[in-house]
Amino acid sequence: MGAWDTASASAEDLHAVSATSYRNSAADDDTLSIKRQSHRETPTVTAIRRAAPSVVNLHGQKTIRQTAASLAGASSDVARQVNGMGTGVVIDSRGYVVTNYHVVEDVYEINVTLHDGSTTTADLVASDPANDLALVKLRGAGPFQTIPRGHSNDLMVGEPVIAIGNAFGYVHTSTVGIVSALHRDIPVNETQSYRDLIQTSAGINPGNSGGPLLNIDGEIIGVNVAVRVGAQQIAFAIPIDQVLDTVTDMIIRHNDRRFVIGLQGKPSREGGFQVVDLIDGGSAQRGGLKPGDRIVKVDEDSISTPLQYALSVLDAMPGEKLRVEFQRGSETYETFVSTVPSASEAKDPVAALAWQVIGVAVRPAGDSFTRRMNSQMQTSYRGGLVITDVRPGSAADEQSIRVGDVLLGIHSWQTSSLADLAEILQHPEIRQGPNAKFYIVRRDQTLYGHMKLAVQPTTGRR
């Protein structure tokens, strides 16, 4: 920066300087300062300034396993705890952040550093391991600044790009380069590969994963994902158009597991989210919507893309009514659409009971997750159920149970599997709605508490 600070004035400016004074007036000095600043404030500086507030840095601990055979000729597994780090970008002002799945995979608690230096935590909402993408939600009131979005379908080889990320733990590091190539397919292992990536020469290092690749206008055009080990200035990013399509599908699948509205749509050239199909007798049809209608608002959220529509209903709970504003021809209408509990949950009595009695949605932890958990904590738990959703106002919510916690047991019974949970919830003592003791794993600690379970309706089942 010293070279910029001592930059010489132009020939015209020097011509106006007298032999006895190098400063004619404060006004001349201010003019010179402005001219110097105009040369320093390049498009790159402006682009970083525009995008940086929406970039967050992610930290957490995870246990990784490595086959010892490659290290010492043995066949057992060796586990070691590592401090993970990565980056994310805010795509919705309520705090929804896109990052790579491998950044948050098996992390018990996702710690976040914002651009202003403040810290918070985040919860994993949805993920797509095959495409190495995940959606997390920041804790805190917000609103959070969202990243400007560009497109990746018109990128040019040679155009300048900027990467921002948590490089080697140095938060909010910015680097520059160019688009080196497009449409790169990169194999990872026998079961996974990245498709149609952007190759860039911008400096991307461990910790940059999940962070934005920007164009010169400060718009995100990719999500940084990988570096070529042993190479210099060869790194890759997932194109933003591909990212947004994947994240939209991811959110839709997450919403469909919880409730059904009964419509499918697509972007409309006229604006809004155009209805293309409705489920007969579904909530959307009962609300008066018809194919061809363009949804322009859900509650207070303006809608112009499928992603905005998916995000607008992400915070909704089963049984909630949403105010929908839509256009039909040149007229604008308003209706209310209910979020009906999904058929999959209705067909699954365990899921329905867990949601009703405890207030949680769960999935089995799985053998590999359980091995990592036991190795990190030096325990011998048979398994557990990972909390994937918590119903506001429920017994679980009142006891501050979080998404990502692992439910180990209720009363004196273990919840190692869904079958265990089914048996527990149908037990006569539980059906009466007792003040039950529960055990969970959060990060690297086993915790317990007491919660008042909901009384179940009387049925003829024994």
Side-chain angles (χ1 to χ4, degrees), residues 80-370:
R80 62 188 181 94
Q81 187 170 313
V82 299
N83 292 316
M85 56 189 175
T87 310
V89 290
V90 180
I91 63 166
D92 184 89
S93 60
R94 287 164 292 193
Y96 288 105
V97 170
V98 170
T99 186
N100 287 138
Y101 174 70
H102 74 260
V103 170
V104 295
E105 179 185 13
D106 295 340
V107 174
Y108 288 120
E109 185 172 62
I110 304 169
N111 299 306
V112 184
T113 302
L114 304 179
H115 181 257
D116 62 4
S118 61
T119 59
T120 184
T121 57
D123 297 314
L124 178 62
V125 176
S127 62
D128 188 328
N131 289 291
D132 196 18
L133 290 169
L135 184 75
V136 303
K137 187 177 184 183
L138 304 177
R139 294 191 172 193
F144 299 91
Q145 185 165 329
T146 60
I147 195 156
R149 297 179 205 166
H151 295 281
S152 51
N153 59 0
D154 60 353
L155 294 179
M156 300 173 288
V157 173
E159 72 171 284
V161 290
I162 305 157
I164 305 178
N166 187 14
F168 285 110
Y170 295 103
V171 298
H172 290 92
T173 296
S174 301
T175 56
V176 297
I178 62 167
V179 173
S180 304
L182 299 168
H183 313 300
R184 295 294 200 200
D185 295 338
I186 307 298
V188 177
N189 51 44
E190 294 180 355
T191 60
Q192 185 181 12
S193 63
Y194 293 108
R195 301 284 183 183
D196 200 30
L197 297 185
I198 304 165
Q199 182 181 331
T200 174
S201 65
I204 294 176
N205 297 283
N208 275 102
S209 291
L213 186 70
L214 308 172
N215 61 21
I216 200 63
D217 294 324
E219 299 168 333
I220 183 171
I221 49 106
V223 170
N224 300 317
V225 69
V227 294
R228 183 74 178 182
V229 178
Q232 294 183 355
Q233 294 184 310
I234 298 180
F236 302 95
I238 307 173
I240 191 60
D241 295 345
Q242 179 181 329
V243 170
L244 296 182
D245 286 345
T246 300
V247 171
T248 300
D249 291 342
M250 201 162 65
I251 297 172
I252 290 173
R253 290 196 301 270
H254 175 75
N255 287 338
D256 287 347
R257 284 194 296 268
R258 300 184 302 132
F259 52 73
V260 175
I261 293 177
L263 68 83
Q264 292 182 333
K266 66 177 183 180
S268 171
R269 291 181 180 179
E270 292 78 19
F273 182 60
Q274 186 172 16
V275 178
V276 297
D277 195 15
L278 295 164
I279 295 177
D280 288 339
S283 176
Q285 189 182 67
R286 293 197 306 271
L289 289 169
K290 296 181 180 180
D293 291 344
R294 291 180 289 111
I295 297 174
V296 294
K297 209 167 190 180
V298 175
D299 286 340
E300 299 304 317
D301 296 333
S302 297
I303 308 298
S304 60
T305 66
L307 176 60
Q308 288 175 330
Y309 172 75
L311 285 167
S312 72
V313 299
L314 189 51
D315 285 340
M317 301 304 300
E320 185 176 337
K321 284 190 174 182
L322 302 174
R323 186 183 68 84
V324 176
E325 188 176 306
F326 64 96
Q327 293 179 348
R328 182 178 297 162
S330 59
E331 299 294 328
T332 300
Y333 302 89
E334 179 185 276
T335 186
F336 289 87
V337 174
S338 298
T339 55
V340 181
S342 70
S344 61
E345 284 202 0
K347 293 176 183 177
D348 186 347
V350 181
L353 277 176
W355 190 253
Q356 172 197 347
V357 177
I358 307 174
V360 294
V362 297
R363 63 172 174 81
D367 292 340
S368 61
F369 184 97
T370 302

Side-chain angles (χ1 to χ4, degrees), residues 9-33:
S10 67
E12 292 182 13
D13 291 325
L14 289 175
H15 182 72
V17 175
S18 69
T20 58
S21 173
Y22 289 94
R23 294 192 179 185
N24 283 344
S25 67
D28 290 340
D29 197 40
D30 290 342
T31 300
L32 182 59
S33 176

Side-chain angles (χ1 to χ4, degrees), residues 376-398:
Q376 178 172 341
M377 299 177 59
Q378 299 299 304
T379 54
S380 56
Y381 296 130
R382 292 195 298 113
L385 300 173
V386 179
I387 308 296
T388 60
D389 201 3
V390 178
R391 176 167 57 84
S394 65
D397 185 43
E398 290 176 355

